[in-house]
Amino acid sequence: MGFFWTIVVLVVALAVAWRYLGAYMVAVYEGRVHFFGFLERPIYRALGTSPEKEQNWKRYGASMIIFTGVSLLVTYALLRIQGHIGLFNPQHLSAVPSPLAFNTDISFITNTNWQNYGGETTMSYFSQIGALTVQQFMSAAVGMAVAVALIRGFARKESATIGNFWVDAVRGALYVLLPIAFVAGLIFVGQGAVQTLAGPAHIHDALNGVAQTIALGPVGFMEAIKQLGTNGGGFFNANSAHPFENPTGLTNLLSIVLLLCIPFAFTYVFGKMVGSLRQGIAVLVAMVALFGVWVGFTAYAEHQPNPAVAAAGQVHQPTGNTTGKEVRFGDTSSALFGVSSTMTSTGSADAAYDSFNPMGGFGLLTGMMLGEVSPGGVGSGMYTILLFAIIAVFIGGLMIGRTPEYLGKKIQAREVKLAGLGVLVMPIVVLVLTAIAVSTAAGRAGPLNAGPHGFSEILYAMTSQGNNNGSAFGGLTGDTNFYNIVGSIAMLLGRFAIMIPVLALAGALAAKNVVPHSLGTFKTDNTMFIGLLLGVIIIVGGLTFFPALALGPIVEQLSKGHFYGTGLIGPFISHLTAGRLF
Amino acid sequence: MLLTQLRRAVVLAVIAFVFVFVYALVGTGLSQLLFKDQASGSITANGSTMIGQSWSGTKWFHGRPDSDDPLSANGTAGESGATNLGPRSKTLVVDTRKLIEAWHKVGVNPTSDLVTTSGSGLDPDITPADAIAQIPMIVRSRGVTSAQLQSLIARETHSAQFGFLGSPYIVVLQLNEALASLR
């Protein structure tokens, strides 16, 4: 019953966010919001630019790459000199080792927030704020800017420019992310998230004679932008399962609302900016359909007993799979959180995803494999689903033998190639890197769990990083040279090998004129189109990843009564090929 | 052209750094002003009500079987986190079996929360059913009546937030503080 009302409140909150946050974001990116003008104008002056100075796609893309490159260097430097900065380092933590700093750096500038470190034992408060939280704001603002640039490509006619990167990034951060995060941060702290610069607290409990050292820090306000910017990188190792990051049922629901609100609202921005809200609603319906099915599936899976716990004798598990879950959230809300986090590019976790039931883990893994489009990360979800939409109208066009159009723009060879490239990069990166990891000793040394679950841990890691998600099957030991480097490659390709085709597409579309609407125009705001779009998303995801999924969660679900204790995935795979599994 | 972009990138990186520090520090100031207690860790005389502790022996209600005390050898705070054992892990079967046996030895028929570890490794809460399951153990060790414990548990049960977020829960530390003042 509680779960039902949770869903009702979530739907209402998101509907309000879709309508009003969406309208607000349109106003922000069209330059009609000025309440921080006294900050905004000096920033443009310092940057030597202004909203009137628009860029073509190449210059827009170059600005984005150069800004990200500078952020990369600054963040790396800050992590490496952590020990020498006297400020905000009460635990006197020393420099982050270089391979780990490199991986963490790339992880945060790409909006991934994959974490090969335990926050409370690795990062000083200074690094958490100055290196990581800064990138949680800016990588989100960059993703939103790229999505807005693509939407402008559809909205404009015969235009050489697609906006100004610097202006878009500043507006997104200043007007959308900063105020919402600030208010949400206060709510987190009010509920019990910590926000202090003091060092760890030392506890002595006279009742049980226990002594504890409790890590504290400036957590609540990082938590707010971690969710709102679909970042996911938490202050503590346990992420949103930690009571100081996510103290109550309310903050759990707030987290889910925060990480979903901007991605869903982007469909409103899209509809409004292209001049037909129905077009935005069509995309929204496709997103909601996928999201709803995945939540239902995963919540059902997690409400089932944990097979290992049942085999140990605890057959009666009325509260579902409790392994790795917190009492204050429970099974279904943890599943809802997990799906919200993996179907956006957030990757935060209020439970141990590694301990989810086989089909619960399947839900999370496939949520990412669909390309994170339902609703996807801030900005990245919107531009990725638009790539799928282009493929969908192309296929529709092939079937009726007409040059496809989307929103009045002719979709020609160049557009289809760019969209195809953007859609295929992720599966290629994920599958090739997974194959490399399972065929090398360094890769096989990673998993904690044996058997198919060990394979799932590797597949999950590559899927998560290739999609800039950042969640993990946490048993994998990621802080090795192999995983630090391979993961960095996955994150960079997963981000920029998609963003650059998207910007090229924005440029190509903006330059086109609009074809007048005719009787033969393929409609893209009706059920037929939504079905076609869903089909493309599912087929691309399903067909490409099915063999890999069959080796991981599917085999795990089917191997009833088998428990894997020794040997990593090497023996498991030879076991499989010998046909002796069942 | 390239130099201009580079200069802009550096300037924006510096501005972002300054803004986020202001965000975090103003946030900290305001939090300490408005919610001093929560912002500092909800710490009470015997520990934080937000962070689980190890309760050993048969005289106290136990929380989740986490390695609750994040204390590493040198006295600094250790790392939070889960066991990450998968749903078909032989280790998980063996560990859980040991926990079940341990509960049976003290006369408790455990609920699943009592034999599974949490996501943070610091779960401060149990459900009322988890507490009720431990009543026989406490009755035997402390010589109190089952009815006394029933009402104690009822008193310490927090209802789900706003009636629907999560399920009813008990903070183990508060329950044991109440237990200590019983009699």
Side-chain angles (χ1 to χ4, degrees):
Chain A
M1 215 45 216
F3 187 58
F4 172 77
W5 287 109
T6 302
I7 297 284
V8 170
V9 172
L10 178 64
V11 168
V12 171
L14 289 175
V16 171
W18 181 77
R19 173 62 185 78
Y20 293 100
L21 178 60
Y24 174 70
M25 284 164 63
V26 174
V28 165
Y29 286 107
E30 287 180 348
R32 290 184 276 118
V33 177
H34 296 294
F35 62 85
F36 277 149
F38 63 97
L39 296 170
E40 193 185 358
R41 280 186 300 271
I43 293 176
Y44 296 153
R45 245 195 321 277
L47 291 171
T49 189
S50 75
E52 289 75 40
K53 288 185 190 148
E54 293 231 329
Q55 299 171 308
N56 63 23
W57 80 265
K58 284 185 185 152
R59 186 131 330 158
Y60 198 104
S63 303
M64 186 270 289
I65 294 285
I66 291 170
F67 175 65
T68 307
V70 167
S71 303
L72 188 82
L73 294 177
V74 172
T75 309
Y76 185 77
L78 288 175
L79 295 178
R80 294 291 292 151
I81 61 169
Q82 170 176 282
H84 299 289
I85 304 173
L87 275 173
F88 308 136
N89 188 3
Q91 291 153 290
H92 307 291
L93 296 165
S94 55
V96 181
S98 57
L100 181 59
F102 178 68
N103 183 280
T104 306
D105 181 8
I106 287 179
S107 167
F108 278 76
I109 59 141
T110 57
N111 200 255
T112 311
N113 291 214
W114 175 267
Q115 294 172 292
N116 276 340
Y117 61 92
E120 62 269 51
T121 50
T122 315
M123 298 290 169
S124 70
Y125 299 172
F126 187 91
S127 296
Q128 297 270 23
I129 299 171
L132 306 183
T133 311
V134 170
Q135 292 315 318
Q136 293 187 323
F137 275 99
M138 294 320 286
S139 67
V142 167
M144 288 156 68
V146 171
V148 170
L150 178 61
I151 294 172
R152 286 197 191 109
F154 282 107
R156 292 182 176 182
K157 284 179 217 170
E158 296 181 325
S159 167
T161 60
I162 54 170
N164 179 320
F165 169 75
W166 307 102
V167 172
D168 288 342
V170 168
R171 282 181 175 160
L174 195 59
Y175 288 117
V176 181
L177 300 175
L178 204 57
I180 302 178
F182 194 84
V183 174
L186 270 183
I187 299 176
F188 273 103
V189 177
Q191 287 290 303
V194 292
Q195 182 72 29
T196 172
L197 297 170
H202 300 279
I203 297 293
H204 179 75
D205 184 344
L207 293 180
N208 59 3
V210 156
Q212 268 181 321
T213 303
I214 297 178
L216 300 172
V219 177
F221 281 75
M222 182 183 187
E223 193 63 18
I225 186 60
K226 158 188 141 184
Q227 310 291 10
L228 180 67
T230 61
N231 291 289
F235 190 96
F236 297 105
N237 188 50
N239 207 286
S240 287
H242 198 295
F244 283 159
E245 280 200 24
N246 189 3
T248 61
L250 176 65
T251 56
N252 200 49
L253 182 61
L254 176 66
S255 299
I256 295 170
V257 171
L258 285 176
L259 60 87
L260 292 172
C261 67
I262 293 179
F264 274 128
F266 247 107
T267 60
Y268 186 92
V269 176
F270 171 67
K272 268 287 164 190
M273 286 179 82
V274 301
S276 160
L277 201 52
R278 279 180 64 93
Q279 298 288 347
I281 293 175
V283 175
L284 174 70
V285 170
M287 287 180 170
V288 170
L290 286 174
F291 184 73
V293 170
W294 255 253
V295 168
F297 179 87
T298 310
Y300 176 79
E302 283 316 292
H303 193 58
Q304 305 309 308
N306 179 310
V309 174
Q314 189 72 27
V315 181
H316 186 57
Q317 299 178 39
T319 49
N321 177 8
T322 55
T323 303
K325 293 198 179 64
E326 300 280 301
V327 164
R328 66 191 180 285
F329 308 137
D331 51 0
T332 47
S333 284
S334 297
L336 171 66
F337 190 108
V339 172
S340 306
S341 165
T342 49
M343 285 196 126
T344 59
S345 77
T346 312
S348 51
D350 76 350
Y353 295 159
D354 216 348
S355 301
F356 268 32
N357 281 331
M359 283 298 106
F362 176 90
L364 304 181
L365 197 46
T366 49
M368 296 186 286
M369 284 170 171
L370 296 181
E372 290 186 344
V373 293
S374 52
V378 287
S380 64
M382 194 65 226
Y383 62 66
T384 311
I385 202 164
L386 287 177
L387 298 179
F388 278 109
I390 287 173
I391 307 274
V393 291
F394 171 64
I395 291 172
L398 284 182
M399 288 195 276
I400 55 173
R402 267 180 65 103
T403 311
E405 294 157 20
Y406 189 42
L407 305 166
K409 301 278 186 175
K410 273 210 172 80
I411 303 299
Q412 289 161 310
R414 180 177 164 80
E415 288 77 43
V416 175
K417 277 184 204 159
L418 287 169
L421 179 65
V423 164
L424 289 178
V425 164
M426 182 277 286
I428 294 172
V429 167
V430 169
L431 291 173
V432 168
L433 293 182
T434 304
I436 292 174
V438 295
S439 18
T440 53
R444 283 199 300 269
L448 166 80
N449 285 283
H453 202 77
F455 175 75
S456 296
E457 284 181 345
I458 292 176
L459 179 64
Y460 196 104
M462 296 308 162
T463 309
S464 169
Q465 295 180 85
N467 278 292
N468 298 149
N469 184 276
S471 66
F473 272 3
L476 188 86
T477 304
D479 187 16
T480 63
N481 285 342
F482 178 82
Y483 280 106
N484 277 326
I485 292 166
V486 169
S488 302
I489 294 169
M491 292 188 280
L492 282 175
L493 288 174
R495 178 82 164 173
F496 298 106
I498 298 173
M499 270 192 170
I500 292 165
V502 163
L503 288 174
L505 191 62
L509 290 169
K512 286 175 191 265
N513 202 346
V514 170
V515 189
H517 211 72
S518 76
L519 270 179
T521 307
F522 182 70
K523 281 201 164 47
T524 53
D525 56 358
N526 57 10
T527 326
M528 166 74 103
F529 172 73
I530 295 169
L532 197 58
L533 177 57
L534 285 173
V536 171
I537 295 170
I538 300 265
I539 289 167
V540 169
L543 285 188
T544 11
F545 288 109
F546 184 78
L549 287 167
L551 288 174
I554 294 179
V555 103
E556 196 179 10
Q557 171 69 15
L558 295 177
S559 51
K560 284 205 166 57
H562 287 250
F563 292 95
Y564 301 88
T566 50
L568 292 176
I569 51 170
F572 160 67
I573 283 176
S574 59
H575 203 63
L576 246 196
T577 46
R580 286 182 285 123
L581 188 70
F582 298 107
Chain B
M1 159 39 211
L2 189 70
L3 268 180
T4 321
Q5 303 284 35
L6 204 57
R7 193 184 63 80
R8 284 180 184 150
V10 173
V11 171
L12 187 55
V14 171
I15 292 173
F17 182 84
V18 172
F19 267 67
V20 172
F21 251 98
V22 170
Y23 164 84
L25 295 183
V26 170
T28 308
L30 209 54
S31 301
Q32 289 290 336
L33 202 67
L34 297 175
F35 308 112
K36 185 160 183 33
D37 190 35
Q38 293 95 315
S40 312
S42 310
I43 289 168
T44 61
N46 287 320
S48 170
T49 52
M50 309 292 296
I51 300 292
Q53 297 181 2
S54 285
W55 296 90
S56 51
T58 54
K59 283 185 177 278
W60 301 107
F61 285 104
H62 290 223
R64 307 286 295 275
D66 294 325
S67 51
D68 271 314
D69 305 316
L71 182 77
S72 60
N74 54 5
T76 57
E79 217 167 83
S80 55
T83 62
N84 286 312
L85 292 172
R88 297 218 180 269
S89 159
K90 205 169 260 175
T91 317
L92 183 56
V93 178
V94 173
D95 288 358
T96 311
R97 198 171 283 148
K98 279 185 199 149
L99 283 167
I100 295 172
E101 278 166 17
W103 280 116
H104 284 164
K105 271 199 197 114
V106 292
V108 170
N109 202 11
T111 55
S112 51
D113 286 329
L114 297 179
V115 296
T116 56
T117 53
S118 70
S120 60
L122 305 165
D123 198 339
D125 306 324
I126 52 176
T127 64
D130 302 338
I132 289 166
Q134 300 182 47
I135 287 180
M137 172 179 88
I138 309 278
V139 167
R140 207 163 310 151
S141 66
R142 285 188 177 255
V144 288
T145 68
S146 174
Q148 274 177 302
L149 292 176
Q150 296 271 10
S151 72
L152 185 74
I153 290 167
R155 244 195 343 264
E156 290 300 322
T157 300
H158 301 260
S159 57
Q161 210 175 7
F162 307 118
F164 70 95
L165 289 170
S167 52
Y169 66 97
I170 294 169
V171 179
V172 183
L173 177 60
Q174 291 172 343
L175 179 64
N176 281 330
E177 281 171 344
L179 179 66
S181 60
L182 203 69
R183 87 184 71 189

